[in-house]
Amino acid sequence: MNRSQAKLTQGIDWPIVGLYLALVIIGIMSIFAAEYRGDDNVWQNIIHLNKNYSRQMMWFGVSLVLAAIIWLTDSKFFTATSNLLYAGGLLLLLLVLGIGKDVKGSHSWLVIGGFQFQPAELTKLCTNLALAKYLSSQETDFTKLRSRLIAAAIALIPAAIIILQDETGLALVYFSFFLVMFREGLPGILLVIAFSGIVLVLSALLVDKYVLFTIFSVITALVIYFMRREIKRKRSRLLVIIGVYAFCSIFVMFVVPFAFTKVLKDYQVRRIEVMLGKENDPKATYNTRQSMIAIGSGGFWGKGYLKGTQTRFDFVPEQSTDFIFCTVGEDFGFLGSVIFLGLYVALLFRIIFVAERQRSTYSRVYAYGVASIVFFHLAINISMTIGLAPVIGIPLPLVSYGGSSLMTFTMLIFIMLRLDADRQMVLR
């Protein structure tokens, strides 16, 4: 490597680049394994972009060009344009509501020159930049309620628009930004409240609401009895206890039933009921059952590359996108799956390491945003394929087929690498 080449690559975090390349290549190989048939003319398919694996190779090439452009861009460009890019992302989301195209039940796609593009993917990047810009501002005091509400609004406004596009799965990913806010000082009690809310929802779905009401009443009476001395000293504690009791009761008696009958669509309710074991309709459980069969059939060692039957013969739905992990599980078995997931774990830990060595709040917040987005996608997608979460259409980062997803994750990662290379600068 000569001096000019060394200067060009100076500061780049090679472990992250290596993990990025490994995951993308595994993704292309997995898509190929899911689509390959013995009589296929592979080179013809690559040249004419007839298959998903050939199109993914094209998107990989485009992504590398984007990565190179980002690496050659001054870091201050991202801080200067963060809010503008966020506004542009919101505008694209609103544009989809007007002229978007329906694809597989969601109105979340734009068609540009014969290519389909999903703005909800790109807006994750824009939101991460805007959140980093806001939290790093000298005027932002994140200990104040007003600042926390503004930060929450930055994350939730695009999520609300995406829900209107019937793309609930991608909308959920925007809640990953709250992990970033916890790193920056959001009180842990809010995490406890959020977890308690999840427990209440699950309880309302699994237990009769009148039984729950009785349980809440008994627990409240016991708490009042055992805290009677403290309540005598401070009457406000009684109001807090009664307030919590009233909220929990109203939530399970009215809010959850209303959401599941008036807000969520029928197919979304069925998917949740499948996950909880309340739905036995073979049509509703087909995707998850086939996914689990494919992964389980790989055993410990796997059937071998291109030797999987469940994925190669179309038993698994969406096997190149949402259920791409099935191909890894069937072809390479438990051992291969563990190694594959180990690459993601290594990537996440390396991103966190990079985040913690930043001098700039902007760079740290942005890097934690990247880690949170990757983690949410990974956790939900894998849980979905093994039956621990409802099927909500979230791709596996860098591996699932999709140009919008691959380019977005590429830009997320390489902007972080660009900021890290300039970590001695204080960016705002």
Side-chain angles (χ1 to χ4, degrees):
M1 183 181 293
N2 58 41
R3 185 173 299 177
S4 61
Q5 289 175 321
K7 187 176 181 180
L8 185 63
T9 58
Q10 184 178 4
I12 194 167
D13 193 274
W14 288 110
I16 289 181
V17 174
L19 290 165
Y20 163 82
L21 292 173
L23 287 168
V24 175
I25 291 170
I26 289 172
I28 294 173
M29 291 176 61
S30 298
I31 297 168
F32 180 82
E35 290 191 317
Y36 177 73
R37 304 296 178 264
D39 57 350
D40 282 356
N41 188 326
V42 176
W43 291 113
Q44 194 78 4
N45 289 332
I46 292 175
I47 293 171
H48 295 285
L49 303 176
N50 292 330
K51 295 285 188 177
N52 285 341
Y53 61 80
S54 59
R55 289 187 284 269
Q56 189 75 346
M57 292 171 67
M58 177 195 71
W59 291 124
F60 181 35
V62 173
S63 296
L64 290 178
V65 172
L66 287 173
I69 293 172
I70 289 169
W71 184 251
L72 296 173
T73 302
D74 192 314
S75 295
K76 293 180 180 178
F77 170 82
F78 302 110
T79 62
T81 60
S82 294
N83 293 333
L84 182 63
L85 290 172
Y86 179 70
L90 293 181
L91 183 61
L92 281 175
L93 291 179
L94 292 172
L95 190 64
V96 170
L97 293 176
I99 63 172
K101 179 182 178 182
D102 290 333
V103 176
K104 297 177 182 177
S106 67
H107 188 78
S108 60
W109 296 82
L110 288 176
V111 179
I112 302 174
F115 291 102
Q116 293 179 163
F117 169 68
Q118 197 171 26
E121 288 282 358
L122 178 62
T123 312
K124 290 183 297 192
L125 167 62
C126 302
T127 303
N128 197 22
L129 289 168
L131 186 63
K133 179 72 173 180
Y134 178 71
L135 293 181
S136 64
S137 172
Q138 290 181 324
E139 290 75 29
T140 300
D141 182 358
F142 203 56
T143 62
K144 300 293 180 61
L145 177 61
R146 180 178 179 273
S147 297
R148 291 169 178 173
L149 290 176
I150 292 174
I154 291 172
L156 295 180
I157 288 173
I161 301 174
I162 293 168
I163 288 174
L164 295 178
Q165 300 172 0
D166 292 328
E167 192 60 75
T168 310
L170 280 178
L172 288 176
V173 175
Y174 285 76
F175 285 89
S176 65
F177 291 113
F178 284 91
L179 296 178
V180 182
M181 295 180 212
F182 280 113
R183 168 60 182 83
E184 295 304 309
L186 201 64
I189 186 64
L190 296 178
L191 189 61
V192 175
I193 292 173
F195 180 77
S196 301
I198 295 172
V199 172
L200 280 177
V201 172
L202 294 176
S203 300
L205 296 175
L206 295 172
V207 183
D208 181 81
K209 59 183 179 181
Y210 296 106
V211 174
L212 279 178
F213 178 73
T214 302
I215 293 172
F216 292 156
S217 300
V218 171
I219 291 175
T220 302
L222 290 172
V223 170
I224 292 174
Y225 175 77
F226 286 111
M227 291 186 64
R228 61 189 183 278
R229 293 180 180 176
E230 290 85 350
I231 291 172
K232 283 182 180 180
R233 288 195 296 267
K234 197 171 184 180
R235 292 288 181 179
S236 60
R237 292 178 180 177
L238 179 61
L239 294 177
V240 172
I241 294 170
I242 293 175
V244 172
Y245 165 70
F247 173 81
C248 293
S249 300
I250 292 171
F251 191 80
V252 300
M253 296 284 287
F254 302 105
V255 176
V256 174
F258 176 81
F260 274 73
T261 56
K262 302 297 184 182
V263 179
L264 296 177
K265 299 184 182 300
D266 289 341
Y267 74 90
Q268 292 172 328
V269 174
R270 285 198 302 273
R271 286 174 177 176
I272 294 173
E273 289 177 341
V274 166
M275 180 190 69
L276 297 175
K278 296 180 64 177
E279 173 67 73
N280 293 316
D281 181 4
K283 291 183 179 179
T285 61
Y286 178 80
N287 290 4
T288 304
R289 284 190 293 109
Q290 293 300 326
S291 170
M292 294 172 68
I293 289 171
I295 294 172
S297 67
F300 186 82
W301 299 105
K303 295 178 178 178
Y305 187 59
L306 299 182
K307 295 181 180 179
T309 54
Q310 295 296 120
T311 49
R312 282 190 62 202
F313 297 114
D314 299 324
F315 288 104
V316 180
E318 305 297 336
Q319 55 196 6
S320 295
T321 52
D322 300 341
F323 289 93
I324 191 66
F325 180 65
C326 299
T327 304
V328 177
E330 185 176 25
D331 285 6
F332 301 105
F334 175 78
L335 182 60
S337 298
V338 169
I339 295 173
F340 173 70
L341 294 177
L343 293 176
Y344 276 113
V345 173
L347 177 63
L348 286 170
F349 273 105
R350 188 65 189 181
I351 292 174
I352 292 172
F353 172 80
V354 166
E356 286 297 331
R357 72 184 180 189
Q358 302 305 309
R359 291 182 59 196
S360 167
T361 301
Y362 180 92
S363 302
R364 183 180 69 244
V365 171
Y366 180 85
Y368 267 104
V370 176
S372 298
I373 293 169
V374 172
F375 172 75
F376 252 63
H377 270 267
L378 175 66
I380 295 175
N381 181 276
I382 299 299
S383 298
M384 187 176 71
T385 58
I386 61 177
L388 296 180
V391 180
I392 52 177
I394 289 184
L396 197 56
L398 305 174
V399 175
S400 290
Y401 168 72
S404 300
S405 177
L406 179 58
M407 287 189 293
T408 297
F409 278 107
T410 298
M411 289 188 288
L412 276 166
I413 289 171
F414 276 86
I415 289 175
M416 180 191 68
L417 293 176
R418 179 66 268 172
L419 296 175
D420 178 58
D422 293 328
R423 59 183 176 273
Q424 299 305 320
M425 299 169 55
V426 178
L427 301 170
R428 295 187 184 278

